[in-house]
Amino acid sequence: MGADATTLHIAVHALASSLQAQVAAVFFVSAACTVALALLLALLRLRPPWWCACPVCEAYVTASWAREFDNLCDWYAHLLRRAPGRTVHVHVLGNVLTANPATVDHMLRCRFDNYPKGAPFSAILADFLGRGIFNVDGDGWLFQRKLAAAELASPAIRAFAANVVASELRCRLIPLLRSASSYGSERLLDLQDVFRRFAFDCICKISFGLDPGCLELSLPISAFADAFDTASMLSARRATVPMHVVWKLKRLLNIGEERELRDAIRLVDALAAEVIRQRRKLGSAASGDDLLSRFMGSINDDKYLRDIVVSFMLAGRDTVASGLTAFFLLLSDHPEVAAAIRDEVFRVAGGRDPTAASFDFDKLKDMHYVHAALYESMRLFPPVQFDSKFAAGEDTLPDGTFVAKGTRVTYHAYAMGRMESLWGPDCAVFRPERWLSGGRFVPESPYRYPVFQGGVRVCIGKDLAIMEMKAVIVAVVLSFDVEAVDRSSRRPKFAPGLTATFAGGVPVRVRRRAHCAPS
C-alpha cells in the first residue's frame, strides 16, 4: 500500500510539473501574441513606410539616395532646391522640410505658439537632455532662458568669459599647436578633437566655475567625451527611424543601439553629477557668478540640474567645436582668406606685430572681415544643420503647404545656405565678401540665415560663441598655417549627431608662422 501511495505521489508530481510547463508555455504564447498585436496596431496607426510609394519616401526607406549623395543633408538640399515653395514632405517621417525664409519666419515668429518643440521631439531626446532648455517648452523653457539670458547679458560674465577664452588660448591651445608644429610635417593632429577639448574646457569654466584639468573626476575626460558623442549620435538616430515604436521597443527590451545609448548616458550622468558635487564642494570658496551657481540658487532637484548641465555642455562644446572645425577646413582650401584675415588683424592692431599671447580681445569687435568669414563658414556648415518643431494645431504655411496637427516641421539651415535663390549663383563658394558693405559686416535676416534660430528662441549664447570663435580664429591664423590632410570642404562626410560632426575627424598638419607685418 505504501509503495502504491508513493507511486501515485510521484505520478501526480510529474503531472503537475508537466501541466506547469504547459501553462507557462500558454502564458508565454499569449503574452507574445498580445505584444505582436500591440505592435501591429501601433504600426497601423503610424502608417508604416510601405504605405507611401512616392519617390521621396521610397528613396528614404531604401536609402537609394546614398548612391548619389554622401550625406542625407545633401540629398535634402537637392530636393529642396527643386521643390516648389522650397518645401518637401517626407511622409514616412511625418516631416515637412523647408528652406523657405518666409516659412522660417512663420514658424519662429508669426506662429511661434503653434510650433513648440513638442512632445514627440522631447520623447526622442528625453533620455539624453531630460528637461534641459533644448528639450522643453512652456514654463520650463522660459524659466531656464530668463535665468541664463540675464546672466549672459551681464558685463561681468562677458568679461569673465573673455578672460577664460584668453587664458585657454594662451596656456593650452597655442602651446599645443606649437608643440605639434615642432615635430615636423609628418605629425598629424585631429583638429576636431582639439577644438572639442578646448571648447569643453571653456564651457566648464564659464558655466560651472570649474576647470576639467583640475577636477577630481572619477572618469577621465576622454571616456566622458566618447560617451557624450555616442549619446548625441544615437539620440539623433531615433529621429531618423520611420516607426518610433521600433526604438521604443528596443529601449524597453534594452537591446541594440538603445542598450548602447543607455550605457553612454550612464557615463554622462556620472560626470554631470560630479560637476554638481564639485560645485557644491567649492561653495563659498568660489565666486558663485557662474551659470550653475545661479541655477543652484533656484533649484534643489539634482536631476533637473543634471539636465541643465548636459544642455550647457552640448551648446558650449559641440556647436563651437563644430563651427571652428568647419572654418579651418574651409581655410585650408582658401589660403587667400587666411591672408586677408592677417591683413585685417595687423590693420586693427595699428601696424604693430600682434601675437596670439598679447592680442587685445577688445579689438575683436573691429574685425569685420573675420566676422564675415565666420558667418560665411557657418552659412555653408551650420553647427546645427536643421531644427524641428511639431505643429500644435492645423496650419497652412506661406507657400500653401497644409500642416496637420502633430506634423513635424523642419527648417533646414544647411540646405538654405546652398540655395541659389537666396545667395546667388555662387552660393556654393566660400566668399566672406558677400557679408561686407563698405568694409563693414552687414548681417542678414535670421529667417534667411537661421544658424542661431530667430524670434523668441534666438540663441542666447550667440554673442559669447562668436567672441570665442573669433578669438580662436585670430590667435591660430596669426601663429600657424593649418593644412587639412586627405579632407576637403568640397565633399565633406558627416557623422550622425545633434550637431554637425565630420566623420573620422579632421587630420591636419600645423606649421608655425614667422610674425611679420604683411607687405
Side-chain angles (χ1 to χ4, degrees):
M1 190 70 177
D4 291 340
T6 301
T7 302
L8 180 62
H9 177 75
I10 293 173
V12 169
H13 180 73
L15 179 61
S17 299
S18 176
L19 288 174
Q20 185 178 21
Q22 291 178 15
V23 169
V26 169
F27 274 113
F28 176 79
V29 172
S30 299
C33 290
T34 302
V35 171
L37 180 60
L39 285 173
L40 179 60
L41 292 174
L43 293 177
L44 293 175
R45 284 198 303 271
L46 291 172
R47 293 189 61 183
W50 55 83
W51 280 21
C52 181
C54 76
V56 171
C57 291
E58 183 180 356
Y60 181 85
V61 172
T62 62
S64 60
W65 58 266
R67 290 197 292 264
E68 188 177 352
F69 301 93
D70 293 327
N71 304 291
L72 184 63
C73 58
D74 289 312
W75 179 57
Y76 281 153
H78 168 74
L79 294 177
L80 289 165
R81 277 192 293 267
R82 299 169 56 192
R86 303 294 181 262
T87 300
V88 172
H89 200 162
V90 186
H91 306 96
V92 297
L93 296 176
N95 191 7
V96 172
L97 291 162
T98 186
N100 188 329
T103 301
V104 179
D105 183 14
H106 182 80
M107 293 170 59
L108 298 183
R109 187 179 64 85
C110 301
R111 293 297 312 277
F112 168 76
D113 291 340
N114 193 53
Y115 291 97
K117 283 289 184 182
F121 183 90
S122 296
I124 288 170
L125 297 179
D127 294 325
F128 182 34
L129 297 183
R131 293 175 289 164
I133 191 170
F134 300 119
N135 204 40
V136 290
D137 294 303
D139 292 341
W141 166 75
L142 192 60
F143 165 73
Q144 294 182 54
R145 184 178 178 85
K146 281 185 175 180
L147 201 57
E151 186 68 14
L152 289 172
S154 71
I157 194 68
R158 288 174 183 257
F160 174 65
N163 288 334
V164 166
V165 174
S167 174
E168 288 296 314
L169 281 169
R170 183 175 60 255
C171 301
R172 290 180 176 169
L173 181 61
I174 296 303
L176 172 65
L177 297 179
R178 190 177 294 132
S179 173
S181 66
S182 66
Y183 282 89
S185 60
E186 296 306 313
R187 184 183 178 188
L188 298 182
L189 206 61
D190 181 358
L191 201 61
Q192 182 167 257
D193 179 61
V194 168
F195 284 144
R196 282 180 168 181
R197 293 172 182 270
F198 170 82
F200 180 68
D201 279 351
C202 288
I203 196 62
C204 283
K205 285 185 175 182
I206 295 167
S207 294
F208 315 133
L210 300 168
D211 185 349
C214 302
L215 282 175
E216 299 171 8
L217 297 174
S218 56
L219 294 170
I221 293 299
S222 59
F224 162 76
D226 290 343
F228 202 90
D229 293 341
T230 298
S232 174
M233 175 189 68
L234 295 180
S235 295
R237 280 187 184 172
R238 284 178 170 179
T240 67
V241 178
M243 295 169 290
H244 288 185
V245 69
V246 173
W247 69 258
K248 289 180 179 180
L249 182 61
K250 287 182 177 179
R251 182 179 62 175
L252 178 65
L253 300 176
N254 194 28
I255 59 174
E257 288 188 346
E258 287 298 316
R259 181 173 183 174
E260 188 180 355
L261 174 60
R262 184 171 296 181
D263 291 341
I265 290 175
R266 189 177 293 116
L267 292 179
V268 172
D269 290 347
L271 188 119
E274 186 71 5
V275 166
I276 295 168
R277 186 184 72 81
Q278 289 289 342
R279 196 64 195 78
R280 284 207 176 102
K281 182 179 176 181
L282 287 174
S284 59
S287 65
D289 290 333
D290 59 278
L291 289 170
L292 182 56
S293 294
R294 291 291 302 273
F295 278 106
M296 280 180 165
S298 306
I299 300 171
N300 294 320
D301 182 350
D302 275 13
K303 177 63 172 68
Y304 197 9
L305 287 173
R306 172 267 180 210
D307 297 341
I308 292 169
V309 166
V310 171
S311 292
F312 280 136
M313 287 179 178
L314 178 67
R317 186 196 78 141
D318 288 21
T319 55
V320 167
S322 176
L324 286 172
T325 303
F327 183 89
F328 280 94
L329 182 60
L330 280 161
L331 212 62
S332 178
D333 291 333
H334 296 274
E336 73 281 0
V337 174
I341 289 173
R342 294 184 190 106
D343 287 346
E344 179 175 68
V345 174
F346 278 100
R347 186 169 63 253
V348 171
R352 295 187 302 274
D353 181 15
T355 64
S358 64
F359 188 76
D360 183 359
F361 277 27
D362 289 338
K363 294 186 180 296
L364 288 173
K365 63 180 181 297
D366 298 325
M367 296 185 181
H368 293 271
Y369 186 85
V370 175
H371 204 109
L374 177 59
Y375 264 60
E376 178 72 347
S377 171
M378 291 190 292
R379 178 182 71 84
L380 292 169
F381 295 109
V384 180
Q385 295 180 334
F386 60 87
D387 191 68
S388 296
K389 317 294 182 187
F390 281 83
E394 291 185 354
D395 191 23
T396 300
L397 302 179
D399 63 12
T401 301
F402 173 74
V403 175
K405 178 180 179 180
T407 300
R408 178 183 174 189
V409 185
T410 300
Y411 64 86
H412 210 288
Y414 180 90
M416 292 179 76
R418 286 161 166 72
M419 289 289 161
E420 186 171 329
S421 59
L422 297 180
W423 302 99
D426 65 346
C427 61
V429 178
F430 179 54
R431 189 170 65 84
E433 290 77 12
R434 76 175 78 242
W435 293 89
L436 298 172
S437 178
R440 300 186 67 83
F441 174 79
V442 179
E444 288 286 351
S445 162
Y447 310 111
R448 185 181 182 218
Y449 181 80
V451 170
F452 296 100
Q453 295 209 48
V456 182
R457 276 193 182 262
V458 67
C459 175
I460 56 177
K462 171 184 173 182
D463 292 340
L464 177 61
I466 290 173
M467 178 277 293
E468 184 176 343
M469 288 190 283
K470 285 179 72 174
V472 172
I473 289 166
V474 169
V476 174
V477 172
L478 274 179
S479 300
F480 305 97
D481 287 319
V482 179
E483 176 194 0
V485 179
D486 298 327
R487 294 302 301 259
S488 171
S489 61
R490 297 181 180 89
R491 191 163 181 175
K493 179 69 174 176
F494 298 109
L498 300 177
T499 55
T501 302
F502 293 96
V506 178
V508 299
R509 287 192 183 95
V510 180
R511 297 183 179 90
R512 292 185 67 176
R513 289 181 53 82
H515 285 287
C516 57
S519 56

